[in-house]
Amino acid sequence: MFYHKLKPFPENFLWGASTSAYQVEGAYQEDGKGLSVQDMHEPPHGITDFKVASDHYHHMLEDVKLMAEMGLKAYRFSIAWSRILHDGDGEINQKGIDFYQDLINALIANHIEPIVTMYHFDLPYELHKQGGWCNRKTIDAFEKYARILFENYGDKVKYWLTINEQNVMINHPNAMNPGRIPSKKELYQQCHNMFVAAAKATVLCHELCPNGKIGPAPNITAIYPEKCNPADVIAADNWESIRCWLYLDMAVYGRYNTLVWSYLEEKGYTPIIEEGDMEIIQQGKPDFLGVNYYATATVCEAKNDGTDCQPRNGDQQVMIGEEGVYRAAVNHYLEETQFGWMIDSIGMRVTLRRIYDRYHLPLLITENGLGAKDEMSEDGKIHDAYRIDYLIRHFHQAQLAISDGVDLIGYCPWAFIDLVSTHQGYGKRYGFVYVDREEQDLKELKRMKKDSFYWYQQVIKQNGLD
Ligand code: BG6
């Protein structure tokens, strides 16, 4: 659709930026924090672990000052479950409560809206040892944790996100499971249990936080068929439903997507659904939907020749295929990042339109950004023109989606500050703020503003692009 005049970004648009606890905080065992599954990962040779990360735990006030200088209207961060409850379920760790209380207070003092993710890939290790999300005790532990968060921060935090990228944890479980990777049957049981946990937290939020709004934050992307060959279209539908709609249909409509349920039956992956589960899932309706968008995927007809091509060695955006379901194909219309992720700003408009059309709830972009090997130039600055270019294209498509009628309430690029990437450590940076450290050499962890920092500051000031 071509418009002679685009609709402006709404007033009070939440221009934000995102991070997650285990990727940015460091202090992995300080002040009573327990271990999480991320702390137990053996990183690939030469890649950093998450022990110090960007040391935000010790630089929190300095970092909030930079957010204020950039003019952020919102900051999306996650709370480390094992900082609040050392073993995920026992005694409250007051120092953990205080850390996030201080962060929230500092944000509010600087007129920055806190957007809190309750759980971002960092399940407490003690819960993991007891079966993690396969064990229904984890549902109870999450509900208890949610209650603590709402009771302590519910008067100040308006926007809550339950679970970050549940669909990534199920489809690409490598990064979340130290040790053995669960079978698909187990993963879909975990998935079901997470639906119950998220719904319980949603119900609780509505009970305890009169002004609170809560929603999920899955990684959603439109899936394209490689050709107009109808078999490719079926493959694209298959994968879009399995990867995306399952998660949002459950959150919004409280029911399993029909196509996905048939897939689960065919493969023998159906979960055990206990009495009362579907009722609570139906009660836990979100107020808005968080959307993490990085890249579209293109697929073609699946083969059924006995070679299951899903060895789980892809990542969030690099999908390989599954026998009888879909097979990854190349999209020759798109460029790639240095790390092989497709760059598809128009695909973001497609994705937002599809989501809004299906669910008619306000949308908040909770992640989107460019991972690159940023380097400091000889003048001591970080000239990340490629990131600015990437974001201009995506912001423009966001405005087109708004003009299409999508109710987009905010945009939180990943990431506010450089942090440890899920797979490529510190070699893949996303921030508006550079952190001077190397993969192993921590140096002084000095904060430096990249060119994109000043550019985004201007965008926020004028509420949109030129
Ligand atoms: C999202 C995750 O999938 O992608 C983030 O929610 C992650 O935690 C981001 O960092 C970028 O991925 P990566 O692998 O480049 O760090």
Side-chain angles (χ1 to χ4, degrees), residues 191-211:
C191 186
H192 177 78
N193 294 349
M194 283 190 224
F195 285 136
V196 177
K200 287 192 167 187
T202 302
V203 168
L204 205 55
C205 179
H206 290 146
E207 255 171 55
L208 299 179
C209 316
N211 298 318

Side-chain angles (χ1 to χ4, degrees), residues 6-15 69-73 388 391-392 395-396 399 402 452-466:
L6 297 186
K7 289 187 189 145
F9 285 95
E11 246 179 82
N12 304 323
F13 191 70
L14 294 168
W15 293 105
E69 184 184 338
M70 192 160 67
L72 280 192
K73 306 279 184 216
I388 296 175
L391 288 171
I392 287 177
F395 286 2
H396 179 58
Q399 196 174 353
I402 290 171
S452 57
F453 178 100
Y454 298 104
W455 168 81
Y456 193 33
Q457 184 182 51
Q458 192 55 32
V459 170
I460 298 173
K461 203 180 279 173
Q462 63 198 35
N463 197 33
L465 298 167
D466 285 332

Side-chain angles (χ1 to χ4, degrees), residues 308-344:
D308 188 334
C309 58
Q310 194 182 28
R312 321 252 180 96
N313 56 359
D315 62 29
Q316 304 94 304
Q317 308 306 149
V318 178
M319 301 136 198
I320 293 154
E322 183 168 356
E323 189 188 328
V325 182
Y326 79 102
R327 187 155 296 221
V330 178
N331 188 332
H332 296 285
Y333 294 96
L334 302 176
E335 288 171 17
E336 291 178 10
T337 70
Q338 290 170 324
F339 294 89
W341 287 13
M342 308 317 287
I343 303 180
D344 187 6

Side-chain angles (χ1 to χ4, degrees), residues 23 120 164-165 294 316 341 367 414 421-422 428 430:
Q23 293 174 278
H120 190 126
N164 181 71
E165 295 193 350
Y294 287 91
Q316 304 94 304
W341 287 13
E367 283 184 37
W414 185 264
S421 130
T422 55
K428 188 183 191 186
Y430 283 90

Side-chain angles (χ1 to χ4, degrees), residues 270-316:
T270 48
I272 297 167
I273 300 176
E274 291 202 356
E275 214 187 310
D277 284 358
M278 295 314 289
E279 285 71 20
I280 188 81
I281 288 171
Q282 267 155 27
Q283 284 163 29
K285 298 262 191 258
D287 305 292
F288 70 97
L289 301 175
V291 179
N292 290 0
Y293 172 84
Y294 287 91
T296 50
T298 303
V299 305
C300 62
E301 181 182 6
K303 297 268 180 337
N304 213 359
D305 57 3
T307 51
D308 188 334
C309 58
Q310 194 182 28
R312 321 252 180 96
N313 56 359
D315 62 29
Q316 304 94 304

